[in-house]
Amino acid sequence: MVFKKLMQAMGVGGPSVETVLANPNCRPGGFLEGQVHVMGGDHATDVEYVAIGLMTRVEVESGDSEYNTNQEFHRQRLTGSFRLDPGARYDVPFRFDVPWETPITEVYGQHLHGMTMGLTTELEVARAVDKSDLDAVAVHPLPAQERILDALLRLGFRFSRADVERGRVYGVQQQLPFYQEIEFYPPSAYASGINQLELTFLPTPHVLQVVLEIDKRGGLFTEGHDAFGRFDIDYSTVDQVDWAGQLDNWLRQSAQRRGLFF
């Protein structure tokens, strides 16, 4: 009897949890729907709660070093406490709102290299270890984000990688403690002045905030440096603008202000 209680305290023979998404695809500001199935073990269990949350991989700078960590950034409790009988099944339907600033993970049906996104499910059990489940989630760009990505591709930029960095972007509205950077290689037309272009999206319910950073090439007697650009896109008028032309003008003006021409 003592051994059995010890095993129960360690979570052996306890309940299990499985999350089934109706559709693992979503967009920033959208939602995910599904059900959490809680299955009873070989003994009655007091469940404290069931919760779900979105988790991504975040790069953290600490002094002179960097490291990656998994960070849950949005969480929703689905239940309060309940009693789960041996072998019983408890189904919990849910609709989970996806934050507007959620990083995108897919573009044109391709996964963005460097991105990780998952829906984590936690079952908190009284006097025992937590049970958890993790399901991959694909976050697709908003139409306004697609317009900017399309424009960069039309200009010849090639996708390099993406990551999520802990910190804040100056001069924008930001709710989450991190931001996504999508990096591009420049086409030959810009390569003489640009090493790399970094793109950050910070959507809100009303406008898409766009931040561009140019990593400038250094010359024989000059140091490389960065240039920043920031603008907002109105969702209702996004299709009325030649974004390839706008981006090309900004890139050229930014380079000319710094004595570079392409």
Side-chain angles (χ1 to χ4, degrees), residues 106-119:
E106 317 292 318
V107 176
Y108 308 116
Q110 299 295 318
H111 182 75
L112 289 181
H113 175 66
M115 290 305 305
T116 300
M117 187 70 61
L119 186 73

Side-chain angles (χ1 to χ4, degrees), residues 65-205:
S65 63
E66 295 180 353
Y67 64 92
N68 292 318
T69 184
N70 292 329
Q71 179 165 347
E72 184 182 86
F73 61 93
H74 186 53
R75 183 177 177 85
Q76 180 178 326
R77 277 205 186 196
L78 302 182
T79 74
S81 59
F82 61 92
R83 182 78 167 179
L84 188 65
D85 293 328
R89 173 168 158 166
Y90 188 71
D91 293 335
V92 186
F94 66 84
R95 178 185 167 111
F96 181 85
D97 292 329
V98 176
W100 280 95
E101 293 175 22
T102 300
I104 61 176
T105 66
E106 317 292 318
V107 176
Y108 308 116
Q110 299 295 318
H111 182 75
L112 289 181
H113 175 66
M115 290 305 305
T116 300
M117 187 70 61
L119 186 73
T120 179
T121 306
E122 182 180 274
L123 176 70
E124 178 76 17
V125 180
R127 300 179 301 279
V129 297
D130 295 341
K131 301 289 184 180
S132 61
D133 187 28
L134 182 65
D135 296 271
V137 170
V139 185
H140 299 264
L142 296 164
Q145 293 172 314
E146 289 179 340
R147 299 296 180 273
I148 299 301
L149 294 168
D150 284 342
L152 288 173
L153 291 177
R154 285 168 55 195
L155 291 173
F157 284 87
R158 294 176 295 113
F159 173 73
S160 169
R161 65 184 300 274
D163 63 9
V164 178
E165 299 186 10
R166 184 175 293 175
R168 305 196 69 80
V169 179
Y170 177 76
V172 300
Q173 297 180 49
Q174 184 178 348
Q175 303 297 323
L176 297 180
F178 55 70
Y179 57 93
Q180 181 181 33
E181 282 191 344
I182 306 174
E183 301 173 3
F184 295 87
Y185 296 120
S188 58
Y190 302 95
S192 61
I194 298 177
N195 250 345
Q196 183 174 264
L197 177 66
E198 297 177 350
L199 168 67
T200 294
F201 291 126
L202 289 160
T204 75

Side-chain angles (χ1 to χ4, degrees), residues 46-62:
D46 291 319
V47 176
E48 298 284 344
Y49 63 82
V50 176
I52 55 177
L54 270 179
M55 184 186 72
T56 191
R57 194 80 168 157
V58 177
E59 181 180 292
V60 181
E61 290 188 9
S62 179

